[in-house]
């Protein structure tokens, strides 16, 4: 049914009635929303990094029995040619097969021989890698020559060093020798971005290894993953397994599910604290105003209008906080790089994150104001007029 | 036809196991334009009766017809709307909204009526003029004296041109001089605007300004004679 609302200014001015209390509540709600935004941005960034890393047409072949652990996988160098020859319909262009032999390891990396070390992810590849990993783009410099590395956009974050320390021309030290940075690449926010790429032969020589960790291949439109899968299963002697890259990252995502649940738990705990802040303020606001709200009802405003005006106040407060938090989060936290075991990723303060954060803030404001507003519901107008 | 008809109204309150019956089969008729004062000892039910007529409370039994509407039959939400157009309430403590200016406080009841901004402005200015506070329109309640605040409260009660203005001890919180100013104002408004007034008071002088005086005794309303009672001994038989 139609009913007249109390004037909008009434709600706003009521917030200025106790400027200190409103100010502190605003600060608390801003902090809560900011924390929610950062946590949601963290989860979204992590998920995005794992989600964009997979290409449905790309297949990874590696040692049987290694789970998802590519570092411990070891397959003979000849596997690439064998697979390329025995798999039907591998993507091909100008006679070059889309097959990328790769040697991958996690190793201690330092800036110079005697600076502090941290764990880096190193991958040795052939230029064919750029065909298979289509999301990879060299943004500065060029493909590495001997003794050179191409660094991912987030490699510095993964190593815990400043971005400038990995600028083109600077040097790195790992596996007992120094490497010169020859360029930077991006990979559409995928996990590759935290890696250091060098030439396959270069890495093999340095490590004194002749094997590979994996072969990544792009299947053409006529190819069937099951053929390749079957080939790996039938040739028991090769001890190979094939997995779609998307499935590979899906299993990784599953491994990170507890992180996600933990993050949502943190969000709900923060939000819970936020509700109490809202509740406390709005209770104070309503209790000090019982007679006034009863007067407004005596004048002819409906009980619903009185309740709504209180909810409106809580909502204005929460949304102001959310707006400030959104600006801060977008301005300062968006794109901030975070390190984790798999590599590094960036906080994603995108429209969905903002939507979730602001939605939670709205619930905090309205939800925190509703129980106090219900006091008006329970108290009769006559009793309200007697209140001091 | 009377503008207010209270018929056989009983109001009971439950206080624990005890039942209090401040009104017991009370009857009252008030004509349009009358100024009625209501006196009675403390706790006899004066405020209770006022609240029933103002439709912010409901009788236990009986009917109350105001301006042709049986308000005991209206739903809560209909009553709110009805009050906006028909009842002006003057409180003992003005009950102004502290965050709104005098002008905005007076405008409140008009927001509930189908009036545009210009029409509201005109009416608020008339009401402000009637209580002689045009120069205080943009003051907040805390910037006004007690008497001025009560005048704003009165302006708010009359601004929508209601059927009846009820006032519960409107001078109860004011000093003697201010009280008499307020009483003069109420009397003038009654005469000039023809608004019906029902005023509860403890002050016999205040009651005296009313054209008709009532007392509440043992749950019923009794008329107070206008003239000085003639001693029984001199009465001619
Ligand atoms: N909500 C309530 N619950 C219980 N008893 C109530 C309630 N409201 C009023 N009463 C009782 O009803 C009686 C009448 O109260 P009311 O407020 O109408 O008195 P009054 O005549 O206005 O008194 P006063 O002159 O002191 O204002 C009193 O005995 C009071 O205790
Ligand atoms: Mg009373």
């Amino acid at each position: 049914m139609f009913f007249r609302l109390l004037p909008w200014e009434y709600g706003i001015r009521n917030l200025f009635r106790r400027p200190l209390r409103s100010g502190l509540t605003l600060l608390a709600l801003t902090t809560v929303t900011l924390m929610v935004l950062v946590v949601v941005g963290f989860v979204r960034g992590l998920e995005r990094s794992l989600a964009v890393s997979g290409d449905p047409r790309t297949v990874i072949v590696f040692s049987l029995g290694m789970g998802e652990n590519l570092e411990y996988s070891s397959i003979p160098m000849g596997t690439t040619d064998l697979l390329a020859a025995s798999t039907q319909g591998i993507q091909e262009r100008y006679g070059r097969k889309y097959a990328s032999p790769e040697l991958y390891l996690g190793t201690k990396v330092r800036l110079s021989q005697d600076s502090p070390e941290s764990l880096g992810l190193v991958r040795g590849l052939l230029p064919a890698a750029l065909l298979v990993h289509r999301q990879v783009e060299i943004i500065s410099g060029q493909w590495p020559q001997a003794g050179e590395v191409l660094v991912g956009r987030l490699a510095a974050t993964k190593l815990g060093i400043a971005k400038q320390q990995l600028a083109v021309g600077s040097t790195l030290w790992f596996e007992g020798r120094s490497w010169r940075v020859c360029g930077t690449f991006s990979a559409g926010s995928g996990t590759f971005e935290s890696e250091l790429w060098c030439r396959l032969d270069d890495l093999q020589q340095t490590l004194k290894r002749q094997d590979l960790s994996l072969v990544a291949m792009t299947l053409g439109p006529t190819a069937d993953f099951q053929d390749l899968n079957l080939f790996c299963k039938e040739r028991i002697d090769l001890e190979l397994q094939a997995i779609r890259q998307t499935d590979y990252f899906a299993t990784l995502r599953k491994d990170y599910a507890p992180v996600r649940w933990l993050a949502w738990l943190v969000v709900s705990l923060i939000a819970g604290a936020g509700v109490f802040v809202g509740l406390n303020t709005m209770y104070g606001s309503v209790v000090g105003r019982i007679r006034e709200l009863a007067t407004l009802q005596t004048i002819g405003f409906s009980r619903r209008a009185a309740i709504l005006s209180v909810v409106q106040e809580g909502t204005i407060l929460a949304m102001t906080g959310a707006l400030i938090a959104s600006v801060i989060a977008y301005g300062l936290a968006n794109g901030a790089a975070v390190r984790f075991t798999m590599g590094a990723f960036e906080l994603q303060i995108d429209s969905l994150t903002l939507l979730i954060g602001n939605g939670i803030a709205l619930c905090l404001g309205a939800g925190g104001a509703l129980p106090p507003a219900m006091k008006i519901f329970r108290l009769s107008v006559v009793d309200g007029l007697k209140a001091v | 036809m009377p503008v207010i008809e209270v018929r056989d109204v009983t109001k009971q309150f439950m206080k624990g196991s005890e039942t209090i019956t401040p009104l017991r089969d009370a009857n009252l008729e008030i004509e349009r334009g009358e100024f009625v004062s209501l006196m009675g000892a403390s706790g006899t039910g004066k405020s209770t009766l006022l609240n029933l007529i103002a439709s912010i409370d409901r009788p236990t039994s009986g009917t109350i017809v105001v301006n042709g509407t049986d308000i005991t039959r209206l739903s809560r939400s209909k009553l709110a709307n009805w009050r906006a157009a028909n009842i002006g309430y003057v409180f003992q403590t003005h009950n102004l909204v502290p965050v709104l200016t005098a002008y905005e406080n007076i405008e409140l009841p008009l927001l509930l009526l189908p009036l545009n901004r210009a029409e509201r402005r005109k009416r608020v200015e008339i009401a402000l003029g009637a209580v002689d506070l045009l120069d205080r329109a943009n003051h907040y309640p805390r910037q006004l004296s007690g008497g001025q605040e009560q005048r704003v409260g009165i302006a708010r009660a009359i601004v929508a041109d209601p059927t009846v203005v009820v006032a519960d001890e409107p001078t109860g919180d004011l000093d003697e001089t201010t009280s008499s100013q307020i009483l003069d104002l109420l009397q003038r408004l009654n005469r000039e605007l023809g608004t019906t007034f029902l005023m509860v008071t403890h002050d016999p002088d205040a009651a005296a300004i009313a054209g008709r005086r009532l007392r509440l005794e043992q749950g019923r309303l009794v008329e107070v004679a206008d003239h000085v009672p003639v001693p029984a001994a001199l009465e001619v038989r």
Side-chain angles (χ1 to χ4, degrees):
Chain A
M1 212 192 84
F2 174 80
F3 64 99
R4 293 279 175 153
L5 293 174
L6 279 156
W8 178 252
E9 305 95 289
Y10 173 68
I12 308 242
R13 286 192 211 158
N14 271 317
L15 291 173
F16 287 102
R17 214 151 151 175
R18 291 196 194 82
L20 186 66
R21 180 196 281 245
S22 295
L24 287 175
T25 309
L26 183 66
L27 189 71
L29 290 174
T30 305
T31 313
V32 164
T33 314
L34 192 58
M35 281 157 85
V36 168
L37 285 173
V38 168
V39 176
V40 175
F42 174 88
V43 175
R44 300 256 315 137
L46 175 62
E47 288 190 339
R48 182 184 144 122
S49 139
L50 295 175
V52 300
S53 298
D55 181 333
R57 285 165 55 211
T58 300
V59 179
I60 309 170
V61 178
F62 59 108
S63 302
L64 195 60
M66 286 298 139
E68 302 103 53
N69 216 330
L70 298 178
E71 273 184 66
Y72 303 130
S73 164
S74 170
I75 57 178
M77 185 68 182
T79 313
T80 321
D81 292 339
L82 182 70
L83 288 171
S86 17
T87 315
Q88 291 282 306
I90 290 182
Q91 182 95 0
E92 203 172 324
R93 202 169 175 207
Y94 308 129
R96 287 172 73 192
K97 299 243 184 196
Y98 280 42
S100 165
E102 299 174 11
L103 183 55
Y104 177 66
L105 76 153
T107 184
K108 285 162 185 156
V109 177
R110 49 189 88 185
L111 284 168
S112 62
Q113 207 168 346
D114 39 33
S115 51
E117 60 183 31
S118 56
L119 189 74
L121 303 166
V122 181
R123 199 181 288 261
L125 323 89
L126 299 180
L130 293 178
L131 298 175
V132 178
H133 306 299
R134 286 173 302 159
Q135 71 273 40
V136 172
E137 206 181 322
I138 297 179
I139 43 183
S140 70
Q142 64 224 352
W143 189 255
Q145 303 296 315
E148 291 184 335
V149 281
L150 191 63
V151 299
R153 210 167 56 87
L154 296 178
T157 305
K158 172 62 188 160
L159 296 174
I161 56 177
K163 241 185 174 122
Q164 308 90 269
Q165 293 179 291
L166 287 187
V168 176
S170 51
T171 52
L172 281 177
W173 185 277
F174 59 85
E175 292 300 330
R177 56 174 279 197
S178 78
W179 302 75
R180 184 181 165 274
V181 176
C182 65
T184 321
F185 71 95
S186 69
S189 297
T191 53
F192 288 142
E193 292 192 343
S194 44
E195 297 181 354
L196 306 169
W197 282 13
C198 59
R199 295 168 66 107
L200 178 61
D201 52 354
D202 212 6
L203 190 60
Q204 282 176 328
Q205 270 165 31
T206 307
L207 297 173
K208 297 185 179 65
R209 277 171 68 171
Q210 270 100 48
D211 60 335
L212 301 172
S213 303
L214 63 123
V215 178
M217 294 187 296
T218 303
L219 298 180
T222 58
D224 185 357
F225 169 74
Q226 289 313 329
D227 290 344
L228 179 63
N229 197 21
L230 210 65
F231 173 79
C232 292
K233 284 197 169 131
E234 280 175 352
R235 289 292 300 270
I236 302 170
D237 57 313
L238 297 175
E239 297 190 3
L240 292 177
Q241 63 174 322
I243 185 170
R244 280 198 188 88
Q245 201 180 27
T246 43
D247 292 340
Y248 171 75
F249 282 105
T251 39
L252 282 188
R253 268 210 297 285
K254 223 178 281 162
D255 290 347
Y256 283 99
V259 174
R260 203 164 49 216
W261 287 121
L262 199 67
W264 285 118
L265 182 73
V266 169
V267 166
S268 31
L269 287 178
I270 300 169
V275 166
F276 276 105
V277 171
L279 267 178
N280 182 42
T281 302
M282 293 321 290
Y283 255 116
S285 171
V286 169
V287 165
R289 229 177 338 140
I290 294 283
R291 189 162 63 161
E292 184 179 312
L293 291 164
T295 302
L296 290 169
Q297 290 179 72
T298 305
I299 289 172
F301 287 96
S302 67
R303 194 164 59 174
R304 271 175 300 179
I307 291 172
L308 215 70
S309 117
V310 172
V311 173
Q312 193 185 52
E313 279 168 43
T315 310
I316 293 173
L317 206 54
M319 290 327 283
T320 310
L323 188 72
I324 300 173
S326 298
V327 170
I328 296 175
Y330 195 76
L332 299 182
N334 190 27
V338 182
R339 258 164 110 172
F340 77 126
T341 47
M342 266 303 297
F345 64 91
E346 292 173 330
L347 290 186
Q348 277 259 257
I349 311 292
D350 57 2
S351 48
L352 187 71
T353 308
L354 291 176
L355 198 71
I356 293 173
N358 284 276
I360 287 177
L362 186 70
C363 293
L364 291 187
L370 212 53
M374 280 305 158
K375 247 183 126 61
I376 307 167
F377 204 80
R378 287 192 300 269
L379 201 67
S380 75
V381 175
V382 175
D383 289 338
L385 285 177
K386 285 182 192 150
V388 275
Chain B
M1 201 179 81
V3 71
I4 298 175
E5 285 180 73
V6 175
R7 282 196 221 112
D8 302 326
V9 162
T10 297
K11 178 67 182 179
Q12 292 185 326
F13 291 108
M14 303 297 285
K15 223 177 208 167
S17 55
E18 202 186 341
T19 312
I20 302 163
T21 314
L23 296 176
R24 193 188 301 274
D25 292 325
N27 282 284
L28 170 66
E29 288 188 355
I30 296 176
E31 297 296 332
R32 195 174 292 277
E34 269 193 296
F35 196 130
V36 180
S37 70
L38 177 59
M39 294 186 73
S42 180
T44 45
K46 304 179 295 294
S47 296
T48 303
L49 178 66
L50 219 61
N51 290 340
L52 291 175
I53 291 170
S55 83
I56 55 173
D57 203 357
R58 287 178 188 280
T60 310
S61 68
T63 55
I64 301 170
V65 179
V66 179
N67 203 16
T69 307
D70 182 353
I71 58 172
T72 54
R73 284 169 188 274
L74 291 184
S75 73
R76 174 191 275 272
S77 57
K78 287 227 174 71
L79 271 181
N81 275 325
W82 179 85
R83 267 204 298 283
N86 290 282
I87 301 291
Y89 203 122
V90 179
F91 304 90
Q92 177 172 355
T93 50
H94 52 84
N95 284 10
L96 298 179
V97 179
V99 295
L100 301 181
T101 61
Y103 182 98
E104 290 163 336
N105 264 287
I106 298 169
E107 194 186 20
L108 280 172
L110 301 181
L111 297 175
L112 294 154
L113 303 177
L115 299 171
N116 64 33
R117 186 178 275 272
E119 289 167 327
R120 291 201 302 267
R121 164 152 225 109
K122 216 172 98 193
R123 290 225 202 174
V124 173
E125 274 166 5
I126 291 171
L128 270 168
V131 299
D132 198 20
L133 279 177
L134 272 170
D135 53 337
R136 299 296 160 117
N138 296 317
H139 284 52
Y140 285 92
R142 69 188 138 76
Q143 299 167 319
L144 298 172
S145 72
Q148 287 169 335
E149 282 179 302
Q150 190 58 296
R151 271 145 71 192
V152 174
I154 292 167
R156 182 176 67 185
I158 58 157
V159 72
D161 194 16
T163 309
V164 55
V165 171
V166 297
D168 196 352
E169 301 183 42
T171 57
D173 269 7
L174 303 174
D175 63 66
E176 221 170 299
T177 329
T178 319
S179 286
S180 69
Q181 283 170 359
I182 293 292
L183 291 170
D184 284 349
L185 172 63
L186 293 177
Q187 205 172 18
R188 185 163 58 79
L189 292 172
N190 169 247
R191 282 207 203 108
E192 288 174 8
L193 306 175
T195 314
T196 312
F197 277 84
L198 174 58
M199 176 178 75
V200 167
T201 182
H202 281 290
D203 175 6
D205 293 340
I209 68 158
R212 185 176 157 207
R213 287 173 289 161
L214 299 172
R215 283 190 73 82
L216 193 55
E217 279 168 8
Q218 274 122 39
R220 293 218 173 78
L221 290 151
V222 202
E223 301 272 344
V224 178
D226 236 355
H227 50 90
V228 183
V230 185
L234 296 179
E235 240 177 320
V236 186
R237 231 177 209 276

